[in-house]
Amino acid sequence: MTILITGGAGYIGSHTCVELLNSGHDILVLDNFSNSRPESLDRVKELTNKSFKIYKIDLLDKAAVEKVFSENEIEAVIHFAGLKAVGESVEIPVHYYHNNITGTLILIDVMQKYNVFNLVFSSSATVYGIPQQVPISEEFSLSATNPYGRTKLMIEEILNDVYVSNNNWSIALLRYFNPIGAHESGLIGEDPNGLPNNLMPFISQVSIGKLSELKVFGNDYTTPDGTGVRDYIHVVDLAKGHLKALEKIVTFNGVEAYNLGTGKGYSVLEMIDAFEKASGRKVPYVIGPRRPGDIAECFAKPDKAERELGWKAEKGIKDMCIDSWKWQSQNPEGFQTNEHRNKYASTLKS
Ligand code: WQD
């Protein structure tokens, strides 16, 4: 199939491109590179020895999006493109709503115009808000505790309404838990802009000395060691889940949500320990206050994805930490290539 991947240059997007290409699919990538670099796609081509079209386009540019659909026989879309920093979404909510929701509305509109009704949507476990219990299953009540989470929840609702208005649609809503790790080659991985918000990129930048120490956000939660427990899932397992979802949606019309998690939770201190063992590096940390909005525990009941998609996470915490370390130690500045560094260095001199 020819698949359009919006946000394909991003962390999860680029790993999904690799799995799609290696499975024989043809892909097109649409990305505005606001939170990613073209270098990640160069490395996808290197890893797969495959080529594909790249459109540097913002989903808010409807004419440009229409041109992509008019020039290509697109059979399905995997929609990653969107802003995803929880803290930033609290500071600039209108930007998040416009970017994430208007961009998705434009995509849906153009897909309908070109009779493309197969969609895999990058959702998030954040739509469960403060879960009433763990493990979390798909029929739990949904809520959001921040504008980013509300964009994901609203888009899920919009997609349900779109299906009700036109039963040709086949939609999978993939609710990610905590994606970490990197491709085993170390060529692609997570490359956050500025200071990392999330635990693993922060730990890996501390381990290479780019950051001095990790601040653990609270150790007074009702968890075994008092620190936050999350369901960390290897990004390659997550990427493979998208292939399974693609295979599934062409077999039915409707909208189905799937938790993509391992079903096992690890605490912050357990993650620090696992990373130190995997990297052979100490990760200095201090215990600080809780981060506003954080919950004590969050991990998936992944049975539905296993039953209906034939998908199950295979990689463990050790793999996740080894692959994170390999990516970070081989790419201390992420995807900033020498060209970027030289350009930056030259501006410093002038
Ligand atoms: C994990 C644990 C922190 C950083 C977020 C988004 C969610 C999804 C995944 C997009 C928590 C602790 C973290 C640090 C710490 N993103 N921590 N020090 O908050 O579970 O989920 O990312 O879909 O929407 O909410 O992930 O990695 O930020 O935190 O102690 O410097 O690590 O308190 O317990 P989170 P996280």
Side-chain angles (χ1 to χ4, degrees), residues 84 86 124 126 148 177-179 197-200 202 214-217 228-230 232 268 291 294:
K84 61 157 194 134
V86 170
S124 166
T126 202
Y148 158 73
F177 281 70
N178 289 61
N197 297 303
N198 299 132
L199 180 67
M200 184 50 80
F202 206 105
L214 170 74
K215 184 178 285 185
V216 175
F217 296 144
V229 171
R230 296 292 185 271
Y232 297 96
V268 178
R291 179 173 62 178
D294 269 0

Side-chain angles (χ1 to χ4, degrees), residues 341-350:
R341 266 196 292 279
N342 297 342
K343 196 186 296 180
Y344 178 67
S346 62
T347 54
L348 282 181
K349 285 189 197 109
S350 55

Side-chain angles (χ1 to χ4, degrees), residues 151-170:
T151 68
K152 291 297 185 184
L153 187 50
M154 288 178 185
I155 291 168
E156 287 201 7
E157 301 290 341
I158 289 165
L159 291 172
N160 277 293
D161 289 340
V162 164
Y163 170 69
V164 169
S165 74
N166 178 342
N167 289 169
N168 288 314
W169 282 90
S170 305

Side-chain angles (χ1 to χ4, degrees), residues 165-331:
S165 74
N166 178 342
N167 289 169
N168 288 314
W169 282 90
S170 305
I171 301 169
L173 310 172
L174 302 186
R175 294 171 181 165
Y176 310 155
F177 281 70
N178 289 61
I180 63 170
H183 188 270
E184 60 186 5
S185 64
L187 279 176
I188 55 176
E190 189 168 11
D191 181 20
N193 281 339
L195 206 57
N197 297 303
N198 299 132
L199 180 67
M200 184 50 80
F202 206 105
I203 286 178
S204 56
Q205 288 191 21
V206 168
S207 73
I208 61 165
K210 196 170 174 189
L211 297 171
S212 57
E213 66 181 10
L214 170 74
K215 184 178 285 185
V216 175
F217 296 144
N219 67 346
D220 59 351
Y221 286 103
T222 52
T223 59
D225 64 19
T227 63
V229 171
R230 296 292 185 271
D231 185 333
Y232 297 96
I233 177 171
H234 197 294
V235 65
V236 171
D237 276 332
L238 193 62
K240 289 178 176 172
H242 288 72
L243 263 68
K244 290 291 189 183
L246 214 47
E247 289 165 14
K248 175 73 178 176
I249 57 173
V250 297
T251 68
F252 77 98
N253 291 348
V255 186
E256 286 295 338
Y258 297 99
N259 287 341
L260 296 191
T262 66
K264 184 161 174 35
Y266 285 89
S267 75
V268 178
L269 295 183
E270 285 173 321
M271 292 306 287
I272 293 169
D273 182 55
F275 192 89
E276 289 183 337
K277 287 190 173 74
S279 64
R281 294 289 180 92
K282 284 302 285 174
V283 177
Y285 66 88
V286 291
I287 302 289
R290 292 184 178 191
R291 179 173 62 178
D294 269 0
I295 55 179
E297 278 193 297
C298 178
F299 54 91
K301 190 171 187 294
D303 303 33
K304 184 180 178 186
E306 184 173 354
R307 188 174 61 249
E308 296 189 12
L309 303 183
W311 172 89
K312 186 176 170 60
E314 293 163 1
K315 293 174 182 282
I317 281 298
K318 187 178 173 189
D319 296 323
M320 296 179 212
C321 292
I322 288 170
D323 294 337
S324 288
W325 164 247
K326 185 169 182 180
W327 152 254
Q328 191 70 80
S329 54
Q330 285 181 186
N331 304 273

